[in-house]
Amino acid sequence: MKEELKKVVAAAQKEIREVQTLHDLMQVKSKYTGKKSILNNFMQKISTLSQEDRPAFGQTVNTMKQQLLSLIEEQEKIIKELNYKKTLEVESLDLTLPGRKRGKGSLHPITKVWRELEDIFILMGFEVTEGPDIEDEFHNFGALNTPEDHPARELSDTFYLDDNILLRTQTSTVQIRTMEKHQVPLKIISPGSCYRNENDASHSPMFHQVEALVVDVGVSFTDLRDTLTIFVKEMFGDKIESRIRPHFFPFTEPSAEIDIICVKCYGKGCNLCGGSGWLEMGGAGMVDPAVFEKLGIDPEKFTGYAFGLGIDRIAMLKYKIPDMRLLFENDIRFLKQFK
Ligand code: DAH
């Protein structure tokens, strides 16, 4: 029986060494050392031996079993090591590669200009207010003295949501809302989005304006001119001149347009300013007495000035951006330049 045992153990050792997977190893383990295993069979056959041979044989079986178990343990380590190497090969990491840098975010050029202009006006004593993007005809046109047949009211220029409801085409709406809600005197700016049905290099269907309104006793055109001059110098630097020239708006009288000297050629004339040396920045004027009357403010006692500047235009001029659409395409390569 001893010979038989030796043969079995030799066969077991060979099988264990050849096993490639943990699953197969467990099967071999139970085949040779488990409850109903070959080695246990030998133990059961012990009764066929003589009394004195039994202990020695029993011990031999046990020793063999221990040897096989430690061999199985060794093989288990080998298989695990192999498995680990295979996994590494598949999921190999190149630890010499440089890490990926996470870029820091930055503010959009419009946001930068928006915040900067708020700071400038706040320093000059203005309060910041807001109005709704969705408006009615009264606040966008009627109260601003815009005649019923004015072309700006046309569907082709204005986005109507309903008969009387539209996306505001100008922040001048907030002049009206502020005068309806608050007592004069007033000194406010109102930055926000506006919408018009136009789309080219210098017009976007959604754009931004900042409106200003100052109403008090004795407010004059000189105050308007002073405020604009200070604003332009603060925003663009000392070198940049501004001018106002006569124009027409239904809600101001007299009305003016505001230009700044071309930030590229300083007045010589170039492609950015179309040769004129000046760039348009917005509209302004003295509040028309008819507007005050509609809101119950005494035009004999109070006067006011107002202006509306294009925030996107200011950003374009300040950063020399040649096409307004660049501001809204959100191409990261473009935006990165404003860090
Ligand atoms: N709302 C005008 C526009 O969008 C700009 C404007 C002109 C605003 C004169 C004013 C103003 O406050 O007084 O074209």
Side-chain angles (χ1 to χ4, degrees):
M1 211 150 58
K2 240 186 172 174
E3 282 309 304
E4 227 180 291
L5 178 66
K6 270 189 189 164
K7 266 192 207 162
V8 166
V9 169
Q13 285 171 333
K14 191 166 174 264
E15 264 184 64
I16 292 168
R17 292 225 167 87
E18 282 171 0
V19 152
Q20 297 281 333
T21 69
L22 289 176
H23 175 260
D24 290 351
L25 185 66
M26 289 308 116
Q27 294 217 312
V28 174
K29 186 177 178 184
S30 98
K31 177 175 164 190
Y32 287 102
T33 67
K35 261 191 188 163
K36 290 182 179 164
S37 64
I38 299 174
L39 283 191
N40 267 15
N41 247 357
F42 275 104
M43 278 305 211
Q44 268 149 28
K45 279 192 212 151
I46 212 165
S47 54
T48 62
L49 293 177
S50 65
Q51 279 290 359
E52 62 270 26
D53 284 343
R54 285 181 194 177
F57 186 72
Q59 231 173 21
T60 315
V61 175
N62 271 339
T63 318
M64 293 297 160
K65 192 173 173 180
Q66 286 314 317
Q67 277 177 8
L68 287 186
L69 283 174
S70 51
L71 192 64
I72 287 169
E73 219 173 279
E74 255 173 51
Q75 188 65 14
E76 188 179 335
K77 272 190 202 152
I78 293 172
I79 294 174
K80 280 186 174 163
E81 185 85 355
L82 265 176
N83 283 351
Y84 180 63
K85 277 191 186 149
K86 275 188 207 153
T87 320
L88 268 193
E89 269 168 32
V90 178
E91 301 175 1
S92 67
L93 289 178
D94 183 351
L95 298 177
T96 62
L97 276 178
R100 266 191 215 142
K101 271 193 204 151
R102 270 218 211 152
K104 260 198 220 155
S106 59
L107 292 176
H108 193 282
I110 293 178
T111 309
K112 284 176 95 163
V113 166
W114 185 315
R115 291 188 181 178
E116 202 178 319
L117 67 83
E118 278 191 357
D119 286 347
I120 297 171
F121 284 117
I122 287 169
L123 274 176
M124 287 197 270
F126 285 79
E127 260 184 78
V128 183
T129 63
E130 269 180 22
D133 288 20
I134 297 174
E135 265 295 2
D136 49 44
E137 273 201 301
F138 174 73
H139 289 93
N140 199 78
F141 295 125
L144 287 160
N145 215 24
T146 313
E148 286 292 335
D149 55 357
H150 195 282
R153 290 192 184 222
E154 294 285 314
L155 262 173
S156 54
D157 289 314
T158 304
F159 293 115
Y160 283 87
L161 304 178
D162 210 336
D163 267 357
N164 174 36
I165 306 296
L166 45 81
L167 294 178
R168 69 175 175 192
T169 62
Q170 49 187 346
T171 44
S172 302
T173 51
V174 189
Q175 288 187 29
I176 306 303
R177 291 199 171 268
T178 308
M179 288 189 278
E180 279 173 338
K181 250 199 270 164
H182 301 282
Q183 299 278 323
V184 286
L186 287 169
K187 191 170 183 181
I188 58 116
I189 58 157
S190 185
S193 307
C194 304
Y195 308 83
R196 279 181 210 176
N197 193 7
E198 39 190 19
N199 198 6
D200 58 42
S202 50
H203 299 92
S204 155
M206 191 277 303
F207 58 103
H208 303 92
Q209 282 188 341
V210 57
E211 191 77 15
L213 173 72
V214 176
V215 183
D216 207 339
V217 175
V219 173
S220 71
F221 204 89
T222 323
D223 299 322
L224 166 63
R225 183 72 181 99
D226 278 351
T227 306
L228 284 171
T229 305
I230 294 169
F231 171 73
V232 169
K233 291 229 183 287
E234 289 294 320
M235 180 54 85
F236 297 101
D238 275 344
K239 254 183 153 176
I240 300 300
E241 295 291 328
S242 59
R243 73 173 184 190
I244 46 181
R245 62 195 154 78
H247 199 73
F248 173 79
F249 293 102
F251 43 94
T252 40
E253 183 58 37
S255 300
E257 272 208 318
I258 310 153
D259 297 334
I260 64 167
I261 204 152
C262 179
V263 285
K264 191 173 170 192
C265 66
Y266 297 116
K268 287 193 197 96
C270 69
N271 57 349
L272 184 65
C273 58
S276 74
W278 294 91
L279 295 163
E280 238 178 76
M281 207 176 54
M286 299 303 291
V287 180
D288 195 306
V291 174
F292 280 150
E293 266 163 18
K294 279 193 217 286
L295 296 160
I297 296 169
D298 182 0
E300 296 296 325
K301 187 167 172 202
F302 290 100
T303 49
Y305 70 78
F307 56 85
L309 311 176
I311 298 181
D312 324 283
R313 300 230 71 199
I314 296 173
M316 286 171 77
L317 300 180
K318 192 169 168 93
Y319 299 120
K320 302 189 170 68
I321 299 166
D323 190 318
M324 191 185 263
R325 289 168 291 201
L326 286 168
L327 288 170
F328 303 111
E329 280 165 1
N330 286 339
D331 184 328
I332 203 82
R333 291 165 301 182
F334 168 76
L335 295 175
K336 264 186 180 168
Q337 299 171 58
F338 301 94
K339 275 196 175 175

